């Protein structure tokens, strides 16, 4: 295990320090400019599109989901352990400045996520049974029609099945089991069995079952966590200016020292990029699977909703986590401000921070319950994304065997080394970015066209649909089969 961990960490260092930073920032900047800052221009429109469909009991659709259900499924995937454990790990290793780089990755990622959502909508396929198939494999095959496209799509499909369907779910269940063990003393294997039972019920259900679960879980879990975080921040409001100063100071200072520990600029950028990707998933190619399911009037509508999803994930939930941890542990007499790192790691930082106000037991319980909701909703969303790619590679016959395997790995995730699980998930997450980013850039002309037309007018709507038809012509027979 130690040797495997060292190998995976070496690979991840090269990917996160060089490849990932260039791809994430480069792709996000490219689409920000190409779409004329769509994340700013259309942010209010996205809020209206999202909250205009807000409901905890959406109607059942013959195929696909409502726009809100698709958004909830995407946010369920984005808001997981990366928002709590991942953000804490970024601060612990890269320093407070890592949060600034997570913000930057998210701002640029809002434009990238817009591109992913509109392309997923534009290239999605609906089969005779009414099942909606959409995601990167379909816009990859649209962008590259020959053998190269088949190779890239196959590479992506395998990577996402391993990254989210197997390794990613292990990360989520690992974090649930760890925090519940700390908070309630529940043995990790017992928690593993409970998670497996709940996950299996959803895994073997339909897309509509997943939509029904996520549309209820996501709003409730987000509100509870935000309220709890704001209470802690309010109790420490006097140090908030110091916290923001610390974030910006460490984000640009080559050698920033806090509590006797020196945080380098490269580490801050690397952790911000890596944990930013794991948190908001923009550019990774996961959430387009959810946005493709939305039954909307046009791709632009769901694209604007995708912008807001990234905003909620990072600028709201991650920021709440960061402010709580920094104002309690990194200022004044905080343990990490005093250099007392013994016994503190990324899995218990948030619990310690919330426990400073709520008390140890209640703080542990609060984080454990929030993480349970966050991580479980992520598990079921990621399983959906992986199933779509299993269906693309092997057809419907491969779905149930995959779900059975996924349940086993959810259980194993509760028992294996936390560091190894995280590093493996990071590696496959970063490998997913490569084919997805290539296809996004190749299809950027269509994204720019969709973002520029006025879909509210008949003329704009017609122009947008003509652009989509021209770009996707010849892909009508692209349906899942054993390839």
């Amino acid at each position: 295990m130690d040797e495997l961990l060292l190998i995976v960490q070496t690979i991840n260092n090269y990917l996160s320090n060089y490849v990932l930073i260039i791809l994430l920032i480069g792709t996000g900047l490219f689409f920000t400019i190409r779409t004329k800052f769509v994340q700013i221009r259309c942010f209010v429109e996205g809020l209206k599109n999202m909250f205009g469909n807000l409901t905890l009991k959406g109607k059942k659709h013959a195929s696909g989901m409502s726009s809100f259900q698709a958004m909830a499924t995407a946010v369920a995937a984005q808001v997981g352990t990366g928002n709590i454990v991942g953000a804490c790990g970024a601060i612990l290793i890269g320093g407070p400045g890592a949060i600034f780089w997570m913000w930057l990755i998210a701002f640029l990622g809002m434009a990238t996520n817009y591109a992913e959502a509109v392309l997923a909508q534009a290239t999605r396929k609906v089969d005779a049974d009414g099942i909606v198939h959409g995601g990167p494999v379909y816009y990859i095959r649209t962008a590259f029609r020959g053998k190269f496209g088949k190779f890239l799509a196959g590479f992506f499909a395998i990577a996402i099945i391993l990254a989210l369907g197997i390794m990613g779910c292990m990360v989520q269940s690992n974090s649930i089991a760890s925090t519940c063990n700390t908070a309630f003393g529940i043995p990790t294997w017992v928690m593993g069995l409970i998670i497996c039972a709940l996950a299996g019920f959803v895994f073997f259900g339909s897309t509509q079952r997943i939509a029904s679960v996520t549309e209820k879980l996501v709003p409730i879990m987000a509100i509870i966590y935000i309220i709890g975080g704001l209470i802690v921040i309010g109790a420490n409001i006097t140090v908030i200016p110091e916290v923001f100063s610390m974030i910006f100071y460490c984000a640009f200072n080559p050698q920033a020292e806090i509590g006797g520990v020196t945080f380098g600029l490269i580490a801050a950028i690397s952790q911000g990029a890596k944990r930013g990707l794991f948190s908001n998933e923009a550019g990774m190619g996961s959430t387009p699977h959810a946005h493709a399911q939305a039954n909307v009037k046009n791709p632009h509508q769901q694209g604007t909703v995708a912008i807001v999803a990234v905003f909620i994930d990072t600028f709201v939930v991650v920021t709440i986590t960061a402010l709580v941890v920094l104002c309690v542990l990194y200022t004044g007499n905080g343990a990490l401000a005093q250099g007392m790192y013994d016994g503190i790691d990324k899995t218990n930082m948030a619990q310690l921070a919330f426990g400073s106000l709520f008390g140890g037991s209640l703080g542990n319980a609060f984080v454990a319950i929030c993480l349970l909701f966050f991580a479980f909703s992520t598990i079921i969303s990621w399983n959906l994304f992986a199933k779509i790619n299993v269906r693309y590679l092997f057809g419907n016959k491969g779905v149930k065997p995959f779900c059975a395997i996924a349940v086993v790995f959810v259980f194993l995730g509760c028992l294996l080394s936390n560091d190894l699980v995280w590093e493996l998930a990071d590696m496959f997450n970063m490998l997913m970015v490569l084919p997805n980013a290539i296809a996004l850039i190749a299809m950027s002309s269509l994204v720019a066209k969709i973002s520029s037309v006025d879909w509210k007018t008949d003329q704009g709507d017609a122009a947008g649909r003509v652009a989509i038809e021209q770009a996707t012509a010849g892909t009508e027979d692209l349906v899942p089969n054993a390839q």
Side-chain angles (χ1 to χ4, degrees):
M1 286 292 186
D2 290 340
E3 291 178 358
L4 178 58
L5 177 61
L6 182 61
I7 292 171
V8 175
Q9 285 176 331
T10 302
I11 295 172
N12 285 350
N13 285 337
Y14 282 102
L15 287 174
S16 63
N17 291 344
Y18 304 102
V19 179
L20 188 65
I21 291 174
I22 294 172
L23 276 178
L24 283 181
I25 296 179
T27 304
L29 186 60
F30 175 77
F31 278 107
T32 296
I33 296 172
R34 194 77 200 269
T35 61
K36 299 177 181 178
F37 288 82
V38 68
Q39 66 268 59
I40 296 175
R41 289 192 299 109
C42 299
F43 183 76
V44 174
E45 181 183 351
L47 287 174
K48 292 177 179 178
N49 287 333
M50 185 183 76
F51 289 109
N53 292 290
L54 179 61
T55 176
L56 299 184
K57 192 176 180 181
K59 65 179 183 179
K60 186 174 180 180
H61 292 252
S63 65
M65 309 175 183
S66 69
S67 179
F68 177 76
Q69 288 173 332
M71 185 281 299
T73 304
V75 171
Q78 293 166 313
V79 178
T81 58
N83 297 75
I84 301 178
V85 180
C88 291
I91 294 171
L92 193 63
I93 299 172
I99 298 301
F100 170 82
W101 296 104
M102 289 184 76
W103 288 339
L104 178 61
I105 290 295
F107 175 75
L108 298 176
M110 289 162 75
T112 306
N113 211 35
Y114 172 86
E116 291 178 302
V118 297
L119 289 179
Q121 275 284 319
T123 61
R124 75 176 196 163
K125 308 296 176 186
V126 182
D127 65 20
D129 296 327
I131 297 175
V132 177
H133 309 277
V137 290
Y138 297 97
Y139 57 71
I140 288 172
R141 292 293 300 275
T142 302
F144 306 102
R145 305 299 175 91
K147 293 182 179 179
F148 181 64
K150 288 184 179 180
F151 167 76
L152 280 185
F155 180 89
F156 177 88
I158 293 170
I160 193 172
I161 290 168
L162 293 173
L164 304 189
I166 303 297
M167 301 300 174
C169 288
M170 291 174 70
V171 166
Q172 305 296 333
S173 63
N174 187 288
S175 297
I176 293 173
S178 176
T179 53
C180 286
N181 179 259
T182 300
F184 309 115
I186 302 174
T188 55
W189 68 270
V190 173
M191 201 65 215
L193 292 177
I194 295 172
I195 299 168
C196 285
L198 294 173
F201 171 74
V202 182
F203 285 2
F204 288 96
S206 64
T207 299
Q208 284 70 33
R209 180 180 294 176
I210 293 174
S212 178
V213 172
T214 56
E215 74 177 347
K216 296 175 179 64
L217 275 182
V218 170
I220 295 172
M221 73 183 188
I223 291 171
I224 292 173
Y225 185 72
I226 290 169
I227 291 174
L230 289 176
I231 292 173
V232 176
I233 293 168
N236 295 273
I237 195 68
T238 57
V239 300
I240 293 301
E242 180 185 348
V243 166
F244 278 99
S245 176
M246 187 188 306
I247 290 173
F248 287 101
Y249 171 74
C250 294
F252 298 100
N253 194 310
Q255 298 294 326
E257 183 176 319
I258 298 176
V261 176
T262 299
F263 297 103
L265 179 60
I266 297 299
I269 297 174
S270 173
Q271 287 298 313
K274 184 162 60 175
R275 295 307 173 201
L277 170 66
F278 192 82
S279 174
N280 65 59
E281 302 185 23
M284 194 167 78
S286 55
T287 58
H289 298 90
H291 293 301
Q293 300 291 321
N295 295 315
V296 290
K297 295 179 180 179
N298 56 69
H300 174 74
Q301 180 179 336
Q302 194 61 25
T304 62
V305 171
I307 290 172
V308 178
V310 175
F311 180 86
I312 292 172
D313 171 86
T314 303
F315 288 99
V316 178
V317 181
V318 167
T319 299
I320 290 288
T321 300
L323 294 181
V324 167
V325 168
L326 291 174
C327 72
V328 172
L329 300 179
Y330 280 85
T331 62
N333 294 321
L336 300 183
Q338 300 301 316
M340 296 183 289
Y341 282 77
D342 291 343
I344 298 178
D345 57 39
K346 62 189 178 187
T347 61
N348 66 6
M349 283 176 69
Q351 290 176 315
L352 292 172
F354 279 98
S356 68
L357 182 65
F358 299 153
S361 298
L362 183 57
N364 288 345
F366 177 79
V367 174
I369 292 171
C370 288
L371 193 60
L372 171 63
F373 282 110
F374 283 5
F376 181 72
S377 65
T378 299
I379 287 173
I380 60 178
S381 293
W382 280 359
N383 179 261
L384 170 64
F385 304 162
K387 280 194 294 188
I388 290 171
N389 287 275
V390 167
R391 190 176 285 114
Y392 168 78
L393 289 174
F394 307 110
N396 289 327
K397 65 180 182 295
V399 173
K400 288 186 178 180
F402 165 72
C403 289
I405 294 171
V407 169
V408 172
F409 275 91
V410 166
F411 177 75
L412 292 177
C414 297
L415 309 178
L416 294 181
S417 163
N418 191 36
D419 288 337
L420 178 59
V421 171
W422 272 90
E423 292 292 340
L424 284 170
D426 281 342
M427 183 178 73
F428 286 108
N429 282 341
M430 288 185 279
L431 289 175
M432 285 168 54
V433 175
L434 302 176
N436 185 56
I438 293 172
L440 288 175
I441 293 171
M443 297 286 289
S444 62
S445 294
L446 178 59
V447 175
K449 179 67 175 179
I450 290 175
S451 71
S452 65
V453 302
D454 184 358
W455 290 90
K456 296 178 182 179
T457 66
D458 292 339
Q459 185 178 1
D461 184 87
R465 296 191 184 284
V466 168
I468 293 171
E469 291 174 2
Q470 290 176 343
T472 59
T475 63
E476 292 79 7
D477 60 345
L478 183 58
V479 293
N481 55 65
Q483 299 177 50

